[in-house]
Amino acid sequence: VSSRNMSDADTVMSSACTAAENAGIVVYTIGYETNNTTSQKLKDCASTESHFYPAAGTDITTVFASIAASIQKLKLTQ
């Protein structure tokens, strides 16, 4: 079992986000009961700020439904 400190984890996440962007992958992120710092990192990773969804409690279901609808629209327009 290995563990990463927060700085290492942030670097890995940032690299993955950049690689996805460079590959043309649309990235959605969900900040489930996150603080402002973490939410900002997730917003930065998402393809656009509108691809970031804050969520708390049971509204996670609504968030997933919204992302699914967005993906369906994307598929229909391509």
Side-chain angles (χ1 to χ4, degrees), residues 16-78:
C17 297
T18 299
E21 180 182 354
N22 291 341
I25 297 170
V26 176
V27 177
Y28 294 84
T29 59
I30 301 170
Y32 187 74
E33 298 184 359
T34 56
N35 61 33
N36 288 338
T37 301
T38 302
S39 291
Q40 187 59 54
K41 290 174 186 176
L42 292 168
K43 283 179 189 176
D44 292 344
C45 182
S47 291
T48 68
E49 194 165 315
S50 67
H51 286 89
F52 166 74
Y53 293 81
T58 58
D59 76 26
I60 191 76
T61 303
T62 305
V63 168
F64 281 117
S66 181
I67 292 170
S70 178
I71 291 169
Q72 188 61 32
K73 283 184 203 172
L74 181 64
K75 286 172 58 177
L76 290 173
T77 60
Q78 289 184 341

